[in-house]
C-alpha cells in the first residue's frame, strides 16, 4: 500500500505538476499518482482534491504539502542530496529555484507548456524574450560554476526540477538559444524521468486536449 498520494494535472500541459512530480520521484517517495485533467483554469475537481485548489498537492505519511517549492523541500528532507552539499552552492540553488517559482510571467503567458506540439518561432514577445535572456544567464552561471551537465554538477537535482518545464517550453516554441543552453536542454530532456513523463503524457486520452494550447493564436 502506498504511503500517500500526489495530485497532479494533465502531464501534457501542467508545468507545476511536472516540478512536484520530479521532486517526489527523485526522492523515491511511495505515493499513488492522481491525475486530474486540466481545463485551462481552476476546476471544481482540483478545488475539491487540494487545499489551495491548485496542483501539485502531496500527501505523504500524514504530511500535507502544496506549492512546488514546499514539496521540493519536503522531498529534500527525505533525500538531502537533492540540494547541493556545499552551503554556498545550496543557497545558489535555492535562490534560482525561488526565482523560477516567483517569476518569468512573460514567458509563461506567451509560451505555455505543451509537450506534444512544436510552434517554432511563434510568440516571441518582448517580455518572453527578456525572461529567456535571464534564464539563459542563470543556466550559464550555474553550468560554468559546477561543470554540468546539470545545473549543480553530474546529478539532476531540485534546481533542475524547477527548470525542467522551461526546457519543455524551449523545445515546443523553439526560441534562439546559446550552445550552452541547448546542451542543457538536451541533457534534461534525456533524463529517464523526463522520458517517462513525456511517454505518459503522450498516452493521455485525446479528450483531455485543450484547443487553446493545441491551436494557439
Amino acid at each position: 500500500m502506498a504511503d500517500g498520494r500526489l495530485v497532479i494535472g494533465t502531464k501534457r500541459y501542467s508545468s507545476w505538476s511536472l516540478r512536484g512530480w520530479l521532486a517526489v520521484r527523485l526522492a523515491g517517495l511511495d505515493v499513488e499518482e492522481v491525475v486530474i485533467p486540466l481545463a485551462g483554469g481552476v476546476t471544481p475537481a482540483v478545488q475539491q482534491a487540494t487545499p489551495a485548489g491548485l496542483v501539485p498537492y502531496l500527501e505523504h505519511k500524514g504530511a500535507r504539502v502544496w506549492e512546488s517549492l514546499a514539496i521540493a523541500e519536503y522531498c529534500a528532507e527525505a533525500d538531502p542530496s537533492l540540494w547541493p552539499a556545499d552551503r554556498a552552492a545550496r543557497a545558489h540553488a535555492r535562490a534560482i529555484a525561488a526565482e523560477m517559482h516567483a517569476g518569468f510571467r512573460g514567458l509563461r503567458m506567451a509560451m505555455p507548456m505543451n509537450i506534444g506540439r512544436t510552434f517554432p518561432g511563434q510568440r516571441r514577445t518582448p517580455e518572453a524574450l527578456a525572461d529567456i535572456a535571464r534564464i539563459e544567464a542563470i543556466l550559464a552561471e550555474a553550468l560554468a560554476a559546477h561543470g554540468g551537465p546539470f545545473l549543480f554538477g553530474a546529478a539532476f537535482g531540485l534546481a533542475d526540477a524547477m527548470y525542467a518545464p522551461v526546457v519543455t517550453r524551449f523545445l515546443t516554441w523553439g526560441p534562439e538559444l546559446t550552445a550552452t543552453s541547448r546542451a542543457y536542454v538536451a541533457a534534461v530532456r534525456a533524463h529517464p524521468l523526463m522520458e517517462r513523463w513525456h511517454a505518459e503524457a503522450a498516452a493521455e486520452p485525446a479528450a483531455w486536449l485543450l484547443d487553446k494550447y493545441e491551436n494557439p493564436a
Side-chain angles (χ1 to χ4, degrees):
M1 184 175 179
D3 293 327
R5 65 180 187 139
L6 175 68
V7 181
I8 60 175
T10 313
K11 290 186 175 181
R12 189 178 182 97
Y13 306 132
S14 185
S15 58
W16 291 107
S17 294
L18 174 55
R19 293 181 173 102
W21 183 89
L22 284 169
V24 165
R25 296 306 171 203
L26 287 167
L29 303 188
D30 180 14
V31 294
E32 175 192 4
E33 194 172 301
V34 179
V35 181
I36 299 177
L38 301 182
V42 176
T43 66
V46 175
Q47 287 180 315
Q48 292 167 12
T50 70
L54 301 168
V55 288
Y57 167 57
L58 174 66
E59 294 177 347
H60 182 254
K61 294 186 175 181
R64 301 167 67 245
V65 196
W66 56 97
E67 290 291 346
S68 296
L69 271 181
I71 291 172
E73 292 290 4
Y74 180 82
C75 291
E77 292 180 5
D79 183 356
S81 72
L82 296 180
W83 290 123
D86 176 77
R87 180 184 60 82
R90 190 165 60 252
H92 184 194
R94 284 182 164 134
I96 65 173
E99 184 174 354
M100 174 54 65
H101 188 272
F104 304 114
R105 178 175 173 79
L107 174 62
R108 298 183 203 281
M109 297 301 293
M111 301 179 180
M113 178 168 153
N114 182 342
I115 64 175
R117 297 289 304 278
T118 58
F119 307 104
Q122 297 187 34
R123 298 285 192 90
R124 295 184 180 182
T125 65
E127 295 81 6
L129 293 177
D131 283 350
I132 290 168
R134 171 57 187 155
I135 290 167
E136 288 206 278
I138 290 170
L139 301 182
E141 180 182 14
L143 292 166
H146 303 285
F150 301 112
L151 292 175
F152 291 87
F156 185 105
L158 291 174
D160 301 291
M162 291 299 294
Y163 281 77
V166 167
V167 165
T168 75
R169 285 178 161 92
F170 288 169
L171 291 169
T172 296
W173 297 94
E176 294 179 4
L177 300 174
T178 65
T180 296
S181 295
R182 290 196 302 271
Y184 178 71
V185 166
V188 170
R189 177 61 184 86
H191 190 275
L193 286 175
M194 291 295 286
E195 291 280 0
R196 175 179 166 185
W197 180 274
H198 277 72
E200 291 174 357
E204 289 175 337
W208 292 5
L209 296 178
L210 298 175
D211 184 69
K212 65 181 289 187
Y213 297 130
E214 299 302 315
N215 299 289

